[in-house]
Amino acid sequence: MNLDFTQIVPYIPFMLEGIWVTLGFVSVSIIFGFILGTLIALIKISRIKFMVGLADAYTSVFRGTPLILQLMIIYFAIPQLTGYNIPPFFAAVLAFGLNSSAYISEIIRAGIQAVEKGQTEAAQALGVPYRPMMKDLILPQALKNILPALMNEFITLTKESAIVSTISYLDLMRRAQVVGSDIYRNFEPLLFVGLIYYLLVMGLTMLGKLLERRLRVSD
Amino acid sequence: MIKVEDLSKTFGKTEVLSDISTQVNSGEVVSIVGPSGSGKSTFLRCLNLLETPSNGSVWIQDYEITNPKTNILKAREHIGMVFQHFHLFPHLTVIDNITYAPKQVKGETADQAETKAKSLLEKVGLTDKANAYPNNLSGGQKQRVAIARALAMEPEIMLFDEPTSALDPEMVNEVLDVMKDLAKSGMTMAVVTHEMGFAKEVADRVFFLDHGKLVEDSPPSTFFSKPETQRAQDFLEKIL
Ligand SMILES: Nc1ncnc2c1ncn2[C@@H]1O[C@H](COP(=O)(O)OP(=O)(O)OP(=O)(O)O)[C@@H](O)[C@H]1O
Ligand SMILES: [Mg+2]
C-alpha cells in the first residue's frame, strides 16, 4: 500500500472551493430545470395536441440520449455553429437544466394526475379560474406527493454533475484531477472529493426528509 | 332559478340523460331520486357544467350556461356544489378552505372573507375547528365545512350530490340539519339523496329519474303515497 495523504494537504482549500462551484451550478440548474419542467408538465396535461406532441418529443430526446453528449453538443458544437464561445458555467447550466427539466416534467405530470379529480371539480364549482387553481390548489398537493421523487432527481443531478469536468469546468471532480496530475497521485484526491460528494448527497437527503416532515403538518 | 330545456347527455354511445325539461324556481327545494346509474349525478353536474350537455340548454339565474359565450366562471359564483366525498382542499386549514374562493374569485379582502367564514362556521357548528386541517375532522364535520365553503361564495342555488352517503350513520343528521336550516332560509336547492326522510320533510318537489329520463316530478306527498308510474312504485318498494 502506497498512500500518503499529507501530500494533498496544501491542496485542500483548492479542492474545498470546488464545493461551491459544484453546488453553485447545480442549484442554478435545478431551479432552471424545475421551472421549465413545471411548464412542460402543464403543457403535457393541456389539451393542445400540437404542444403536447412537442413536449413529449422534447422529453423523449433528452431522456433518450446521454447527458454527457448533450453537454458536449452545447459546449463544443454550438460555438461551431454560432461562433459564440459559450462559457463553461452557462453550458453546464443549460445542459443540466434542460436535461433535468425533461425528467422533472414527467415527475410533475404524474404528480398532478395523481391529485384526485374531485379537487379540480371542487375548485371549478367555486368558480376558481385555471391559473390560481393550479398554483394554489393542485400544484401544492402534487408537489407534496412527488417530493421524494424530486429530491431523488436533485441528488442524481448532484452526482452526475461531475461530468462537467470534461469541459474543463473547475468543479469538485475537475479539481481532484488537477491535484492528481500535480502530485502524480490520483487515489488520495479522488478519495477526498468522493467523501465530499457523499456528504453533499447525505445533506440533500436529510434536507428532503426535513421538507417532507414540514409538508406533512396537514395530515 | 334553474331552467332546463331538452337536456341530453351521452357518454360515447350511451345516452345517460335524455330530453329533460324542467324548471326550479327561486326558494324551491327539489330532491332527486332514482336507481343507481339512472343519471342523477350527471344531471346535477350538467347544472354547473362539470359535465357538458350534449344537447339542450341550461339557465342558472340569468346565465345561459350552455351558451359557449357565457362566462361560466361568473355563472358558477351563483351556484354552489357539495359532493359526496367533500373534496375539501387537504393542504389548507378549515378557515382557508372557506376563504380561498371569496378572496380569489370575488376579490374580498382577507378581513371580509374571514369574518364571513367565522359566521358560517358558527352556523354549521364548527367554530372551534377553524384552524384544523380537513384530515383531522370526522366525515360529518368535513361535509359541514364543505357546505360552509360553498356558502361563502353567497350563491343563490346549491347543488348537493348524495351529501350524506359517505357518512357514518350517526353523522348523517348533523349534516341534514344544516341542510334543513338552509332550506328554511329560502335557498334554492337541488339535492340528490337516498334520505327519503329528508325528501319527505323538506323538499317541495321530488324528481324521479330512471334510465336518464325525468319520469316523475311531483310533491313528496304525492310521490311517496301514490307514485304515477310503475317504475317509481318498484323503486319505492325496494328502498322503503
Ligand atoms: N364520465 C363518464 N364516462 C362514461 N360513462 C359515465 C360517466 N359518468 C357517468 N357515466 C355513466 O352514466 C350513467 C349515469 O351515471 P350517474 O353517475 O349520473 O348515475 P347516478 O344516478 O348518479 O348513480 P348513483 O346513484 O350510483 O350515484 C351510468 O351508467 C354511468 O356509468
Ligand atoms: Mg351519483
Side-chain angles (χ1 to χ4, degrees):
Chain A
M1 279 271 262
N2 169 20
L3 277 181
D4 180 5
F5 282 94
T6 56
Q7 290 206 42
I8 65 164
V9 171
Y11 294 95
I12 284 178
F14 172 72
M15 285 192 285
L16 287 181
E17 235 173 90
I19 296 178
W20 304 115
V21 176
T22 289
L23 280 183
F25 87 85
V26 167
S27 352
V28 177
S29 307
I30 283 171
I31 293 166
F32 175 43
F34 181 74
I35 294 171
L36 189 61
T38 308
L39 292 176
I40 296 173
L42 288 173
I43 290 175
K44 282 179 181 168
I45 60 164
S46 76
R47 295 207 186 107
I48 314 160
K49 273 218 175 93
F50 170 71
M51 298 287 283
V52 174
L54 272 184
D56 284 343
Y58 175 90
T59 307
S60 171
V61 168
F62 274 95
R63 295 208 303 182
T65 54
L67 176 53
I68 191 165
L69 176 91
Q70 294 160 19
L71 178 68
M72 296 260 172
I73 286 181
I74 288 169
Y75 187 64
F76 295 116
I78 286 184
Q80 180 197 326
L81 280 185
T82 61
Y84 171 65
N85 270 323
I86 187 166
F89 174 80
F90 286 119
V93 165
L94 209 55
F96 283 90
L98 293 176
N99 182 274
S100 70
S101 75
Y103 286 89
I104 290 174
S105 74
E106 272 305 290
I107 297 173
I108 293 180
R109 184 195 54 76
I112 292 173
Q113 284 174 342
V115 175
E116 237 192 309
K117 210 168 132 245
Q119 292 290 309
T120 312
E121 293 186 345
Q124 286 175 333
L126 288 164
V128 180
Y130 184 81
R131 262 161 174 260
M133 171 180 88
M134 273 299 164
K135 180 169 77 67
D136 301 329
L137 303 177
I138 306 300
L139 279 176
Q141 293 185 56
L143 287 182
K144 185 176 150 192
N145 296 336
I146 60 179
L147 196 68
L150 277 181
M151 229 37 220
N152 215 17
E153 170 61 21
F154 295 165
I155 286 170
T156 306
L157 197 66
T158 306
K159 286 186 291 182
E160 293 286 305
S161 75
I163 65 168
V164 291
S165 57
T166 56
I167 60 168
S168 307
Y169 189 53
L170 268 179
D171 73 324
L172 256 179
M173 184 67 195
R174 180 74 191 151
R175 282 167 198 250
Q177 292 169 345
V178 169
V179 174
S181 59
D182 240 35
I183 60 175
Y184 302 106
R185 310 177 75 89
N186 282 310
F187 196 83
E188 294 85 347
L190 286 175
L191 199 69
F192 183 76
V193 299
L195 181 72
I196 294 177
Y197 275 114
Y198 184 73
L199 291 177
L200 283 181
V201 168
M202 288 303 113
L204 275 177
T205 310
M206 259 157 45
L207 194 75
K209 292 248 160 69
L210 221 77
L211 264 171
E212 257 177 78
R213 209 169 308 147
R214 280 208 49 186
L215 285 176
R216 235 183 277 139
V217 287
S218 60
D219 291 350
Chain B
M1 188 213 58
I2 307 170
K3 200 167 101 192
V4 177
E5 259 174 26
D6 303 327
L7 172 66
S8 300
K9 174 69 184 174
T10 51
F11 287 114
K13 277 184 194 146
T14 43
E15 183 160 65
V16 173
L17 296 176
S18 56
D19 255 344
I20 297 183
S21 297
T22 187
Q23 182 166 334
V24 180
N25 293 319
S26 266
E28 269 189 316
V29 177
V30 173
S31 272
I32 303 164
V33 304
S36 178
S38 57
K40 304 181 297 293
S41 297
T42 307
F43 175 66
L44 211 60
R45 291 158 59 82
C46 282
L47 299 183
N48 67 352
L49 235 58
L50 283 186
E51 298 296 352
T52 314
S54 315
N55 227 319
S57 9
V58 176
W59 280 264
I60 292 298
Q61 303 297 87
D62 298 329
Y63 297 88
E64 184 187 0
I65 60 169
T66 38
N67 184 337
K69 289 201 198 93
T70 304
N71 180 349
I72 181 62
L73 293 176
K74 206 82 201 129
R76 279 177 178 150
E77 291 181 28
H78 299 267
I79 185 162
M81 186 165 197
V82 172
F83 302 86
Q84 180 176 357
H85 295 288
F86 332 121
H87 300 322
L88 294 176
F89 306 125
H91 61 303
L92 302 181
T93 58
V94 164
I95 191 109
D96 289 343
N97 260 279
I98 300 174
T99 56
Y100 178 76
K103 284 192 286 190
Q104 184 65 53
V105 180
K106 292 185 121 181
E108 290 181 17
T109 66
D111 271 355
Q112 283 173 322
E114 252 168 60
T115 311
K116 190 167 59 184
K118 281 182 184 149
S119 83
L120 282 168
L121 279 175
E122 200 179 321
K123 211 167 168 180
V124 300
L126 288 171
T127 317
D128 52 329
K129 296 293 182 192
N131 296 311
Y133 282 97
N135 287 332
N136 298 324
L137 302 181
S138 73
Q141 292 170 332
K142 281 183 201 172
Q143 198 58 298
R144 284 183 282 154
V145 173
I147 294 173
R149 177 178 68 176
L151 290 177
M153 290 298 288
E154 298 173 13
E156 288 94 353
I157 302 167
M158 285 280 282
L159 308 175
F160 294 83
D161 192 358
E162 302 201 30
T164 58
S165 296
L167 301 180
D168 293 334
E170 71 270 20
M171 292 172 185
V172 168
N173 279 326
E174 62 190 59
V175 171
L176 288 182
D177 286 344
V178 169
M179 292 170 60
K180 283 176 195 168
D181 284 346
L182 202 56
K184 272 188 216 134
S185 76
M187 178 68 72
T188 311
M189 292 163 67
V191 185
V192 174
T193 185
H194 295 303
E195 293 291 329
M196 295 305 147
F198 177 86
K200 270 183 202 164
E201 190 185 334
V202 184
D204 300 300
R205 287 152 72 193
V206 177
F207 288 1
F208 174 67
L209 256 64
D210 192 39
H211 291 105
K213 290 204 171 64
L214 178 53
V215 180
E216 292 203 30
D217 169 2
S218 37
S221 51
T222 319
F223 180 76
F224 289 107
S225 55
K226 36 182 189 310
E228 290 161 28
T229 59
Q230 186 62 42
R231 284 191 281 181
Q233 281 171 30
D234 294 345
F235 170 76
L236 285 170
E237 251 165 52
K238 250 184 236 154
I239 57 155
L240 292 178

